[in-house]
Amino acid sequence: MTMSSTLNIQNLTVSLRSGLPLLGQVNLTLEPGEVRALVGESGAGKSMIGKAVLGTLPPAARVSGGQIFLRGQALDRLNAAQRRHCVAQSAALIPQDPLTALNPVRRIAPQITDPLTRIHGWSTERAQARALDLLERVEIRDPARVMRSYPHELSGGMRQRILIAAAFAPSPPLIVADEPTTALDVTVQKQILKLIRELQKEVGTAVLFVTHDMGVVAKISQKVSVLFQGRVMEDATTEAIFTNPTHPYTRALIAATPSYADPSRSFSPVPAELIAQMKSEIAKEEVW
Amino acid sequence: MFLRTVLSRLLTTLVTLFGVAVVVFVLVRVAPGNPIAMMLPPGASEDDIAQLTALYGFDKSLVEQFFIWIGGVVQGDFGTSITLRQPVSDLVLARLPATLELSFFALLIAVAIGGVAAVIGARRRGSPTEAAVDLTSGAVLSIPDFLWGLLFVLLFGVLWPVLSISGRLDPRLEFDFLTNFVALEGLLRGRFDVAGSAFSHMLMPALSLALPLAALIAQLLKQNLKEVLIQDYTTLSRVRGFSETQVILRDAMRNAALPTLTLVGVQFTFLIGGTVIVERLFAYGGLGNMAIDAVINRDLPLIQGIVLLFAALFVAINMLVDLSYTLLNPRLRHG
Amino acid sequence: MADVSLQTTPRARSGRRNLRLWLPLAWISTLVLAAVLAPLIAPHDPLYQDLFLERLPPFFMAGTEPGYWLGTDSLGRDVLSRVIYGTRIALCVSLIAATATCLVGSTLGLLAGFFGGWWDRVISRLIEIWMAFPPVLFAVLLVAVMGTGLTSVIVAIALIDWTRFARVIRAETMVQAQMDYVDSAQIGGARRLTTLVSEILPNVLPSIVALLMLEMGIAVIVEAILSFVNLSLSSDVATWGSMIAEGRNAIHFAWWVLLFPLIALFLTVLSFSQLGEGLKQRFDPVLQ
């Protein structure tokens, strides 16, 4: 374990309280300023990793093994309040659905500045200035007016840009982006990806980017973890994944990605035999 | 847009009040027993009876009587009480503050108890604490104010006599009241002995009225809070470092309170309706207590006046709740 | 992956739910038995006044007389016998008044909800007017108009409380009337009224049953309230309400006269409402 890693996950196991495992023996590291994509089909457990780090697992699930080090701090050694504090100081979340991630009865301004003033201890003026600055940075026109608006007065794309601004506002060392473009239409998706990429470079934030879309992976990440049924099937650099995928499942996932650049390439689903074979391997492992 | 909503609400409200006026008028007129006969000493002559009957307008047809009465009501004249020989409006307005103080004190208690229980239940959702909140509120909710009142009379009036079980104020206190808002005036004019006495007299009746509503608020608000607490924006707040209690109070409360509010409005009118019997039980000098006396004494103008006042109060509260719902919800306010 | 279902198994709750049904049923069966067997089990004549035995305390206090378990009231009548005989009026009122209320309210609610139009306008307006009356005052007024007696009490309850049924059933009927199965019944050529009775009624029945149970408890209370203001039945019948009224007057001399009928009322009201909730849960196909 390197103490300099922003995030270091070792043998993380998450299971339902009934015992059913959701994640098994997950290992991954994230160095400062690095973007790592967590990719897999729905149900692969990719969102669970981010939730386990941020402490937002659903009540029915819990971490049943392994360790998470956030900037060298072992999270399981902290009590609930310390953990919350540690996560808030080091990490932020860009949520999946911008339509439900802003409080409908509060104006935009306090939703960006409240954490800055109340958790990070900034002055009101500094928080205000930072919010305006970042809103401008994410290409929102007339940010002063937007700050006074209610969420329902803004479009989905605008709301996601506001959420990105809010996530980057305290310059956190780590951001978990949980499928931040899934709920948006394709043209908006591109802008959002570009913004995350640019801000990430400017602020020097490491990003754990959860997605099911290999096309997005290619655009944003340096490292990739491919997940299947809660297991990491392959962990490599993005370049290696696309040029020389070692696991057959990774190859199948890449083949299953529709290509906008080359629409003639036909869309091919992950073969059922492959899935069945992987499932039986995981089942064998669990018996032992 | 907003103005039009207000106006149409006002119009239906008037129709409702008119309906109430018709129903109560018809009801008290078909009541057996001649109210005039009750007013006169035994052995009064036919002439006396006829004179008094004419004075109160009872010799005219029902429809005529109704429109004479309604015509007066519109001008603020509710007639004269038969038993108390005073204008109904004076009598009713003198008693209204007592009932209002009691009702709002009860509402305050209900919101406080129910709100705290809801927050605790939502904070500890899924735990035995939440189950305890559910069980208690379910049981408390099904016991009406009358029974709570009787229980309190027995417990704190007799078996462990710590509170007074009748009246509004310690009669030994001397104070020149400008209004009939005894508790409020005591507070505002710095006579805390007067205010204290008023509140201690109100405590048991108010608590009797408040408990069922508190239980309902606890259940509804907790349910609404739980629904809000799985929304993404609360997750985001937790990630940002806010504690669960902060998330509930800062993020969830306003969203959860809005749907609760409408129901609390309707239930508040039920609470005020409950003052009728609870005031009787605690010999509290409010409108309800007076109303029951009026029914027993066949004091028709007084009954009509009180029922109409209660009805006006109820529809006014419902209207206020609807309007405040619109005002508190940013989506409706601008929409 | 994002949404793992968070519900624990319903089996854990079923035990508590059964208790919720059986405890109330046990108490109500006791009441029925007491009402039927009153002459056999009551130790004394409930109306017999013995001024030498006035205000005897209950068995757990000093100065009792054997055979008067719960003491006597200010006129020397046996409290236990009066509580036992009081179940007759309580059950009679709750059964008849609640059924009458249910019939009136549910019918109007079904008509308003299903036919809409003028039916709904008139009935809704009536409900609104009725809701503007303080119910207790309304009841007192009605009984004063009709004269005291069991029939008056029952009619008064039905005339006042029908709105409780009408409001709920109207709303639920409206929801049901929107459903596809109603359309398909109509297309199948069923008559409107047949559809209402055979398709919609069964779906709103759980709510009707729950409300009916609730109303039974309320009816007992209303009778007690009317007795309390001396407007229910003549004094030659033992009722819990009249005992409570006497108990309130003699509270400083013989508080037990108030206590025991109060306990009976508490348990009865609680039982009916819990039974209603329990039945609703048991028969509601959606909740199962």
Side-chain angles (χ1 to χ4, degrees):
Chain A
M1 185 192 88
T2 45
M3 286 304 288
S4 64
S5 298
T6 304
L7 179 69
N8 187 339
I9 296 176
Q10 294 184 340
N11 299 324
L12 178 68
T13 309
V14 170
S15 41
L16 288 178
R17 296 199 190 269
S18 57
L20 189 76
L22 300 172
L23 289 177
Q25 306 285 324
V26 169
N27 286 293
L28 63 83
T29 56
L30 196 60
E31 302 306 324
E34 188 180 61
V35 179
R36 175 182 285 275
L38 299 178
V39 68
E41 296 170 296
S42 59
K46 49 193 192 301
S47 284
M48 280 300 149
I49 296 176
K51 288 186 165 120
V53 172
L54 299 176
T56 57
L57 285 173
R62 66 193 171 90
V63 174
S64 51
Q67 279 189 307
I68 301 169
F69 296 90
L70 189 55
R71 296 168 83 199
Q73 172 68 55
L75 290 181
D76 59 346
R77 299 229 181 92
L78 304 176
N79 68 27
Q82 288 169 331
R83 192 199 148 102
R84 194 175 70 232
H85 184 73
C86 176
V87 169
Q89 293 300 330
S90 312
L93 168 70
I94 302 174
Q96 178 168 15
D97 185 357
L99 298 184
T100 58
L102 287 165
N103 192 331
V105 300
R106 303 184 73 202
R107 292 176 198 273
I108 298 299
Q111 302 199 48
I112 303 176
T113 58
D114 265 8
L116 301 178
T117 54
R118 293 183 170 251
I119 304 294
H120 297 272
W122 293 18
S123 69
T124 315
E125 295 75 35
R126 185 179 165 206
Q128 200 79 13
R130 175 72 170 162
L132 281 171
D133 189 34
L134 269 165
L135 285 183
E136 220 157 285
R137 183 63 194 77
V138 295
E139 291 159 25
I140 280 177
R141 254 169 276 139
D142 199 355
R145 185 188 61 79
V146 169
M147 294 266 277
R148 286 192 305 271
S149 307
Y150 285 97
H152 70 271
E153 299 166 322
L154 309 168
S155 72
M158 263 174 115
R159 289 192 225 181
Q160 190 60 295
R161 276 181 282 162
I162 287 167
L163 287 162
I164 290 169
F168 280 101
S171 310
L174 169 70
I175 281 182
V176 176
D178 189 358
E179 307 218 28
T181 57
T182 312
L184 304 169
D185 63 59
V186 182
T187 46
V188 184
Q189 271 187 21
K190 275 189 160 177
Q191 295 172 9
I192 295 291
L193 278 181
K194 186 172 141 267
L195 281 174
I196 293 179
R197 187 87 182 99
E198 287 171 3
L199 276 167
Q200 177 265 328
K201 275 187 185 147
E202 277 173 40
V203 181
T205 298
V207 175
L208 201 59
F209 198 102
V210 178
T211 182
H212 61 268
D213 187 341
M214 286 306 261
V216 170
V217 172
K219 285 194 193 73
I220 199 152
S221 68
Q222 290 113 37
K223 300 268 181 64
V224 182
S225 297
V226 179
L227 281 112
F228 176 80
Q229 289 214 333
R231 317 256 155 175
V232 178
M233 293 289 133
E234 184 160 7
D235 178 347
T237 64
T238 307
E239 208 190 329
I241 285 277
F242 281 98
T243 54
N244 184 23
T246 54
H247 200 283
Y249 182 64
T250 311
R251 280 198 290 272
L253 270 187
I254 295 170
T257 309
S259 164
Y260 300 111
D262 182 12
S264 63
R265 208 183 72 192
S266 67
F267 167 81
S268 52
V270 178
E273 314 89 75
L274 176 59
I275 301 247
Q277 190 203 333
M278 283 162 64
K279 276 187 179 166
S280 74
E281 271 166 28
I282 287 172
K284 254 186 259 162
E285 226 175 278
E286 262 158 24
V287 171
W288 294 107
Chain B
M1 182 63 201
F2 187 62
L3 197 69
R4 240 178 68 191
T5 329
V6 176
L7 283 179
S8 80
R9 268 312 296 259
L10 268 177
L11 201 71
T12 52
T13 297
L14 284 179
V15 175
T16 304
L17 284 180
F18 187 79
V20 170
V22 173
V23 173
V24 66
F25 188 86
V26 169
L27 261 181
V28 297
R29 297 300 137 149
V30 299
N34 184 350
I36 299 297
M38 289 170 71
M39 294 171 67
L40 291 166
S45 70
E46 290 286 320
D47 264 6
D48 291 340
I49 294 177
Q51 214 180 337
L52 215 54
T53 308
L55 182 67
Y56 282 97
F58 292 145
D59 53 343
K60 301 201 171 65
S61 79
L62 266 187
V63 180
E64 255 181 290
Q65 284 187 43
F66 178 74
F67 281 103
I68 289 170
W69 174 60
I70 274 293
V73 166
V74 171
Q75 297 164 30
D77 173 15
F78 288 77
T80 307
S81 160
I82 294 175
T83 44
L84 301 166
R85 317 277 168 107
Q86 286 177 46
V88 168
S89 47
D90 292 358
L91 289 167
V92 165
L93 286 182
R95 288 293 188 98
L96 182 63
T99 299
L100 284 183
E101 272 191 344
L102 179 61
S103 305
F104 278 95
F105 187 40
L107 180 65
L108 208 69
I109 295 176
V111 170
I113 297 178
V116 169
V119 169
I120 291 173
R123 174 79 186 75
R124 304 239 172 269
R125 52 195 182 280
S127 77
T129 313
E130 192 199 359
V133 169
D134 285 344
L135 204 68
T136 317
S137 59
V140 169
L141 183 58
S142 55
I143 305 293
D145 43 22
F146 179 58
L147 289 192
W148 288 121
L150 286 167
L151 183 73
F152 293 148
V153 165
L154 201 57
L155 289 183
F156 305 115
V158 179
L159 297 182
W160 183 43
V162 285
L163 288 167
S164 157
I165 57 168
S166 70
R168 264 189 99 185
L169 204 60
D170 189 334
R172 286 164 299 185
L173 283 170
E174 282 182 23
F175 187 55
D176 264 340
F177 286 104
L178 300 173
T179 66
N180 266 326
F181 290 98
V182 175
L184 201 64
E185 200 181 328
L187 268 186
L188 292 179
R189 285 173 58 188
R191 282 291 300 271
F192 297 115
D193 54 336
V194 172
S197 171
F199 279 115
S200 74
H201 277 76
M202 277 200 292
L203 189 58
M204 279 198 293
L207 204 57
S208 319
L209 292 164
L211 279 182
L213 181 55
L216 189 74
I217 292 177
Q219 285 190 344
L220 271 171
L221 188 59
K222 191 194 70 163
Q223 189 54 42
N224 290 335
L225 278 173
K226 279 171 74 180
E227 273 163 30
V228 175
L229 285 171
I230 54 171
Q231 299 290 321
D232 290 350
Y233 54 83
T234 62
T235 308
L236 210 52
S237 279
R238 283 182 207 107
V239 171
R240 286 168 175 169
F242 292 105
S243 72
E244 193 63 25
T245 310
Q246 281 175 312
V247 172
I248 290 176
L249 296 179
R250 295 161 44 85
D251 287 302
M253 192 47 100
R254 259 182 75 186
N255 288 286
L258 270 175
T260 316
L261 181 71
T262 346
L263 211 118
V264 169
V266 179
Q267 293 295 323
F268 184 43
T269 64
F270 291 164
L271 185 154
I272 297 177
T275 59
V276 173
I277 194 65
V278 170
E279 284 180 3
R280 189 76 179 174
L281 185 57
F282 288 93
Y284 182 88
L287 266 184
N289 208 348
M290 187 192 225
I292 290 181
D293 283 332
V295 173
I296 291 170
N297 296 328
R298 298 278 190 279
D299 193 337
L300 311 190
L302 191 54
I303 299 172
Q304 289 168 182
I306 294 176
V307 170
L308 213 54
L309 186 67
F310 269 118
L313 205 57
F314 290 3
V315 293
I317 288 169
N318 280 327
M319 204 162 74
L320 279 179
V321 169
D322 283 4
L323 296 183
S324 59
Y325 184 82
T326 317
L327 283 178
L328 288 175
N329 193 336
R331 265 169 295 196
L332 295 176
R333 187 169 46 204
H334 299 282
Chain C
M1 187 75 246
D3 319 279
V4 176
S5 188
L6 317 174
Q7 294 301 314
T8 47
T9 50
R11 191 151 296 280
R13 294 177 161 222
S14 70
R16 215 189 310 159
R17 200 188 289 176
N18 279 335
L19 211 61
R20 202 178 186 182
L21 276 178
W22 290 115
L23 279 181
L25 268 180
W27 173 250
I28 292 165
S29 313
T30 313
L31 289 186
V32 173
L33 276 179
V36 174
L37 303 176
L40 296 175
I41 54 175
H44 300 274
D45 180 342
L47 303 174
Y48 179 70
Q49 305 180 0
D50 187 340
L51 295 180
F52 293 105
L53 290 175
E54 59 170 47
R55 291 175 192 158
L56 286 177
F59 67 93
F60 48 82
M61 289 170 67
T64 54
E65 192 75 26
Y68 292 88
W69 293 103
L70 302 184
T72 59
D73 66 11
S74 304
L75 297 171
R77 293 174 296 192
D78 179 39
V79 169
L80 176 60
S81 305
R82 289 175 71 73
V83 171
I84 291 173
Y85 271 90
T87 56
R88 293 186 154 188
I89 295 296
L91 287 181
C92 185
V93 169
S94 69
L95 200 68
I96 303 174
T99 311
T101 314
C102 175
L103 284 177
V104 177
S106 302
T107 309
L108 290 176
L110 280 167
L111 291 175
F114 188 63
F115 290 112
W118 277 105
W119 282 100
D120 190 31
R121 247 170 275 176
V122 172
I123 293 170
S124 296
R125 180 65 54 205
L126 270 182
I127 292 176
E128 218 163 287
I129 291 172
W130 249 247
M131 299 283 289
F133 273 97
V136 172
L137 186 53
F138 203 2
V140 170
L141 191 57
L142 276 172
V143 173
V145 167
M146 293 183 289
T148 55
L150 193 58
T151 323
S152 299
V153 173
I154 288 168
V155 172
I157 292 172
L159 276 182
I160 292 158
D161 248 8
W162 64 270
T163 53
R164 190 189 307 278
F165 288 82
R167 276 184 305 150
V168 176
I169 302 305
R170 171 181 170 269
E172 291 203 357
T173 306
M174 282 174 126
V175 173
Q176 294 294 335
Q178 307 280 318
M179 301 276 188
D180 286 343
Y181 72 85
V182 174
D183 282 344
S184 52
Q186 294 286 303
I187 294 162
R191 287 178 54 222
R192 297 274 284 163
L193 209 58
T194 319
T195 315
L196 180 57
V197 174
S198 61
E199 304 286 337
I200 290 183
L201 187 59
N203 281 292
V204 297
L205 209 56
S207 296
I208 295 186
V209 171
L211 282 172
L212 181 68
M213 289 295 144
L214 191 70
E215 190 63 40
M216 286 188 168
I218 290 166
V220 182
I221 294 289
V222 174
E223 193 281 319
I225 287 175
L226 289 169
S227 287
F228 186 76
V229 294
N230 255 329
L231 275 173
S232 180
L233 304 169
S234 59
S235 55
D236 54 6
V237 185
T239 72
W240 295 346
S242 60
M243 293 182 77
I244 282 172
E246 289 154 14
R248 171 69 174 92
N249 288 335
I251 193 161
H252 293 289
F253 322 109
W255 49 264
W256 51 89
V257 182
L258 175 59
L259 177 68
F260 296 110
L262 187 58
I263 292 175
L265 263 177
F266 252 93
L267 290 177
T268 308
V269 172
L270 200 59
S271 296
F272 276 125
S273 75
Q274 294 302 307
L275 193 61
E277 277 301 305
L279 283 178
K280 185 175 179 177
Q281 281 180 9
R282 172 156 275 197
F283 292 118
D284 197 327
V286 181
L287 286 177
Q288 282 194 339

